[in-house]
Amino acid sequence: FVNWGLFVLIVLAVLLFKSSSNLAAAYGIAVTLDMLITTVLTFFVIRYAWGYPLALCLAATSVFFVVDLAFFSSNLLKLADGGWFPLLIAAGVFTVMLTWKDGRRLLNKKLAADAIDLTSFLEAVFVSPPTRVSGTAVFLTAAPGTVPNAMLHNLKHNKVLHEVNLFVTVVNHEVPWIGMNKRLELEALGHDCWQVVVNYGFKNEPDLPRALQLMTGRGFELDPMSTSYFLSRDTIAPTLSGGMAHWREKLFAQMHLNASGAANFLKLPSNSVVELGSKIEI
């Protein structure tokens, strides 16, 4: 979708400017601004990531900054002749990215405010337990120790609890690789319920069923044929009293609706996935 979208926008840009000479102003601003941003980011990397002295960082980047700023300033003279085009694209992309970031923050804040402690909830449930059915239920939850919305809806509407219940949180770390020996963190909650944290590096390829097979021999046996994966499919409801402008909340709601599902990302078997929806106001 992104590739085809870029193709359409490129065709529209060519039709709008009609010639490469008309695109020169847009190209100049795009390149010089990219050079300027790279220089600024270089300063932050060598200063705050690598920890070099401030004086050395300023000396290493200030010359490039002055040169890049001079090039960018001179290209601003062509702003009305097509230089506005890359700035308009940048503003649009930045708005979409910032809306997604702020929307996720508001969504997580709302979910955290409404979260129920998992251990206390299970203790209350097993005082008068519902009917237990055979098989394993895997409930995905964003934060360990909280009750997944999918479980609440399953108990409310189906009034049953599986024989074995796994409460799984997938954590993506800011390291390239996490070995299989550190993939799982297990905590027994009693009554055949387990809290599971699955760890991935950003270069690991997520595969939740494969990761859960690592539980074999650690006090638990997972049978893929009798395992069901319960996911919460949240629908965002914008409100006038939210933390963003109303149009940004509507944009985030549409982006969230079109986002790829967790089932495909985690390679869950399609014939074993149960999605239970809920509406969340932000």
Side-chain angles (χ1 to χ4, degrees):
F1 175 80
V2 172
N3 285 334
W4 279 107
L6 288 172
F7 170 73
V8 172
L9 291 176
I10 289 171
V11 171
L12 292 177
V14 172
L15 294 176
L16 176 65
F17 287 91
K18 298 181 181 179
S19 69
S20 57
S21 60
N22 292 334
L23 269 170
Y27 179 77
I29 283 186
V31 171
T32 55
L33 183 57
D34 180 55
M35 294 167 58
L36 185 63
I37 292 173
T38 301
T39 300
V40 173
L41 291 178
T42 301
F43 169 81
F44 280 94
V45 169
I46 63 178
R47 172 58 180 161
Y48 297 105
W50 296 354
Y52 284 104
L54 178 61
L56 178 61
C57 297
L58 290 174
T61 58
S62 57
V63 175
F64 296 101
F65 179 82
V66 171
V67 174
D68 294 339
L69 184 61
F71 277 122
F72 176 65
S73 300
S74 63
N75 276 276
L76 286 178
L77 298 174
K78 300 180 180 180
L79 187 63
D81 298 326
W84 55 269
F85 185 66
L87 298 181
L88 179 64
I89 294 176
V93 173
F94 178 75
T95 299
V96 170
M97 294 177 66
L98 188 62
T99 298
W100 178 259
K101 178 178 180 295
D102 290 343
R104 291 292 303 176
R105 176 180 54 81
L106 292 174
L107 177 59
N108 291 334
K109 182 179 178 180
K110 177 65 174 178
L111 291 175
D114 297 338
I116 302 174
D117 180 69
L118 179 60
T119 303
S120 302
F121 179 79
L122 291 177
E123 290 177 355
V125 167
F126 286 111
V127 170
S128 179
T131 302
R132 305 291 291 266
V133 296
S134 60
T136 300
V138 178
F139 295 97
L140 293 181
T141 176
T146 60
V147 180
N149 286 337
M151 183 184 188
L152 293 175
H153 289 298
N154 188 48
L155 286 174
K156 177 181 178 181
H157 298 290
N158 298 326
K159 299 178 176 58
V160 296
L161 195 65
H162 281 71
E163 181 181 4
V164 177
N165 297 275
L166 307 181
F167 302 95
V168 178
T169 300
V170 177
V171 180
N172 296 291
H173 297 269
E174 294 183 359
V175 295
W177 304 99
I178 290 182
M180 300 300 285
N181 60 325
K182 298 181 180 179
R183 179 76 74 228
L184 292 185
E185 299 175 24
L186 302 179
E187 180 185 352
L189 303 176
H191 304 281
D192 290 320
C193 296
W194 299 75
Q195 175 74 67
V196 184
V197 177
V198 184
N199 300 296
Y200 288 108
F202 58 79
K203 295 190 72 173
N204 288 125
E205 186 173 354
D207 189 334
L208 186 58
R210 181 185 176 190
L212 293 180
Q213 288 297 329
L214 297 175
M215 297 180 67
T216 302
R218 301 173 67 176
F220 179 81
E221 300 291 334
L222 184 68
D223 181 10
M225 299 303 296
S226 60
T227 300
S228 299
Y229 297 86
F230 290 83
L231 281 68
S232 301
R233 188 66 173 178
D234 301 323
T235 301
I236 306 300
T239 61
L240 295 176
S241 58
M244 295 192 298
H246 193 56
W247 67 269
R248 292 185 65 201
E249 291 185 354
K250 288 185 175 181
L251 175 60
F252 174 69
Q254 189 62 39
M255 293 170 63
H256 191 272
L257 179 65
N258 293 331
S260 299
N264 293 332
F265 179 72
L266 297 174
K267 292 183 171 55
L268 304 183
S270 57
N271 59 347
S272 300
V273 175
V274 180
E275 287 193 347
L276 299 172
S278 61
K279 180 180 285 187
I280 299 178
E281 295 183 350
I282 59 172

